[in-house]
Amino acid sequence: MDFTFTEEQQAAVEAAKAVFSGVAPDGVPSPAMTPGAVADDFDRSLWQTLARSDLLSLVLDPRHGGAGLDPIALCLVLRESARVLARVPLLETSAAALALRRYAPTELCDDVLPRVGRGELVLTVASNGRTGHDGAELAVDATPHGEQGEEGPHGGWTLDGMQTAVPWAQSADLLVIPARTGDGRTVLALVSRLHDGITLADQISTSGERYAEVRLDGVRLTGRDVLTAEGTWEWLYDLLATGTCALALGLGEAVLGMTGEYTSKREQFGHPVATFQAVAVQAADRYIDLRAMEATLWQAAWRLTVQETTTVATRALPAGADVAVAKIWASEGVRRVVQTAQHLHGGFGADIDYPLHRYHAWAKQLELSLGPAAAHEEALGDLLAAHPLG
């Protein structure tokens, strides 16, 4: 087996490293010292740099100005962005664009995707539902109105409900919102944040970023703006989760690197503390966490890339099982990495002039976004029960 990345994927990593090399993790006020959001908007300058470097069009088809790459390439770029805590909606916009490329009709793709690649259109996804515990698709009702055709609604849809903790909602041009129909299907709606019936209420994430509670009151959409293909939301949800695991991995690797550098220079009793057995063992444990996070991440990203092929479709377990395993390791691993880093840094880790406290806040936000490992273990158990191996 060949586990190396393709030349195109490696080129994406190099381009991402070049772009993110100039990003300072402390480029905005500290979330620990700011009563509200650390900034009103994401890093627009970095966003335009990403567009000029063709990283926003990475997953788009060539006919839309893209490179036609896959979730693996996206996760590689996300990993690099998290190393420097890049404040851009790269995960949400790219994941939504990849779902559109995969499931949306040609007319909608031709209208939306070229503008996404040029950095002119920012997308975000409402994936937390009403409370963050129930499925996001259960938080909004989608009611058809007008004539319904065989290829989808020729009339339109009316949306009512509420989604919480929608990232970058105040800055996004389009909100991608899952909704449940009366017959139990899930559709995916593209809604302008300025659309009639949309109300945004500010929320602040643990990392200090500006989130929003999004309320929909009789929001009427044409059939063109609603994706009804079966499996669209489930695939997008898994991609968002896998991308979050990539962010957790990149952040954890950066934090472990900071820890190694600090403990190599910090001396006690005339020796660097990195040479002490207790310190070395803790750092080694966290290195093992990161390697497990990495292995399970690429397994999940690969399954999302090839899950429609005949060979993989014959497997007993669906791609969601691999995503669940990646989430188990990422949610637990990123927490352990930053906690150990804080411990080994001592009081220096709490200094707001040193970036570790900011990485800790971002890690906690990622952990909360992924959810507890026990919940993913339960989901994995349900999948094992439904798809016996043998």
Side-chain angles (χ1 to χ4, degrees), residues 22-99:
V23 177
D26 282 339
V28 294
S30 167
M33 303 298 291
T34 308
V38 295
D40 291 333
D41 199 1
F42 62 84
D43 190 339
R44 293 280 180 175
S45 176
L46 177 58
W47 192 249
Q48 292 306 315
T49 303
L50 289 169
R52 290 192 297 271
S53 302
D54 296 327
L55 289 172
L56 296 185
S57 59
L58 195 70
V59 298
L60 306 182
D61 276 334
R63 69 190 184 92
H64 295 132
L69 296 186
D70 52 28
I72 297 174
L74 173 59
C75 287
L76 284 166
V77 174
L78 290 170
R79 179 188 191 178
E80 297 303 319
S81 75
R83 294 180 190 272
V84 296
L85 308 184
R87 300 182 53 260
V88 286
L90 182 60
L91 168 59
E92 294 80 10
T93 294
S94 298
L98 196 48

Side-chain angles (χ1 to χ4, degrees), residues 24-357:
D26 282 339
V28 294
S30 167
M33 303 298 291
T34 308
V38 295
D40 291 333
D41 199 1
F42 62 84
D43 190 339
R44 293 280 180 175
S45 176
L46 177 58
W47 192 249
Q48 292 306 315
T49 303
L50 289 169
R52 290 192 297 271
S53 302
D54 296 327
L55 289 172
L56 296 185
S57 59
L58 195 70
V59 298
L60 306 182
D61 276 334
R63 69 190 184 92
H64 295 132
L69 296 186
D70 52 28
I72 297 174
L74 173 59
C75 287
L76 284 166
V77 174
L78 290 170
R79 179 188 191 178
E80 297 303 319
S81 75
R83 294 180 190 272
V84 296
L85 308 184
R87 300 182 53 260
V88 286
L90 182 60
L91 168 59
E92 294 80 10
T93 294
S94 298
L98 196 48
L100 290 175
R101 167 188 164 187
R102 190 180 181 107
Y103 293 103
T106 301
E107 179 185 0
L108 182 60
C109 288
D110 291 344
D111 177 37
V112 172
L113 295 184
R115 290 188 287 158
V116 169
R118 295 193 297 266
E120 300 168 359
L121 203 63
V122 177
L123 310 180
T124 190
V125 185
S127 61
N128 289 306
R130 184 178 295 273
T131 65
H133 299 287
D134 301 321
E137 70 279 7
L138 304 177
V140 176
D141 295 325
T143 306
H145 62 259
E147 180 185 357
Q148 301 293 306
E150 293 182 358
E151 300 301 323
H154 294 300
W157 299 85
T158 301
L159 304 183
D160 293 278
M162 185 268 283
Q163 296 276 355
T164 192
V166 181
W168 318 106
Q170 295 88 342
S171 303
D173 300 293
L174 290 177
L175 313 177
V176 180
I177 299 177
R180 181 59 61 93
T181 66
D183 57 1
R185 295 181 297 119
T186 299
V187 298
L188 207 58
L190 276 69
V191 190
S192 168
R193 62 180 169 84
L194 303 176
H195 198 287
D196 290 341
I198 293 285
T199 305
L200 304 183
D202 279 2
Q203 296 176 317
I204 308 299
S205 72
T206 303
S207 58
E209 299 299 336
R210 197 177 177 204
Y211 280 23
E213 177 186 273
V214 178
R215 291 188 175 274
L216 303 96
D217 185 12
V219 175
R220 293 175 67 88
L221 300 175
T222 65
R224 171 187 176 277
D225 297 321
V226 179
L227 278 61
T228 59
E230 183 178 357
T232 303
W233 168 241
E234 290 77 10
W235 189 84
L236 175 55
Y237 182 80
D238 281 345
L239 179 57
L240 288 168
T242 304
T244 305
C245 293
L247 295 174
L249 175 62
L251 185 150
E253 289 174 330
V255 167
L256 190 61
M258 293 168 58
T259 305
E261 182 178 0
Y262 175 78
T263 56
S264 296
K265 296 178 179 178
R266 177 73 167 90
E267 291 190 0
Q268 286 185 351
F269 311 111
H271 299 279
V273 297
T275 62
F276 298 167
Q277 186 178 34
V279 173
V281 167
Q282 290 182 70
D285 285 343
R286 300 296 78 82
Y287 177 82
I288 293 171
D289 278 335
L290 290 173
R291 296 291 69 80
M293 290 166 63
E294 182 177 20
T296 54
L297 164 66
W298 299 133
Q299 172 69 12
W302 174 75
R303 285 298 308 279
L304 290 175
T305 299
V306 302
Q307 69 177 17
E308 289 188 347
T309 65
T310 303
T311 302
V312 177
T314 59
R315 287 183 44 151
L317 289 176
D322 294 296
V323 175
V325 174
K327 290 164 73 177
I328 290 168
W329 276 103
S331 63
E332 291 280 297
V334 74
R335 173 179 54 79
R336 288 195 291 256
V337 168
V338 293
Q339 285 181 342
T340 297
Q342 288 283 11
H343 175 63
L344 297 182
H345 275 82
F348 196 60
D351 188 341
I352 63 170
D353 292 326
Y354 186 70
L356 181 57
H357 76 285

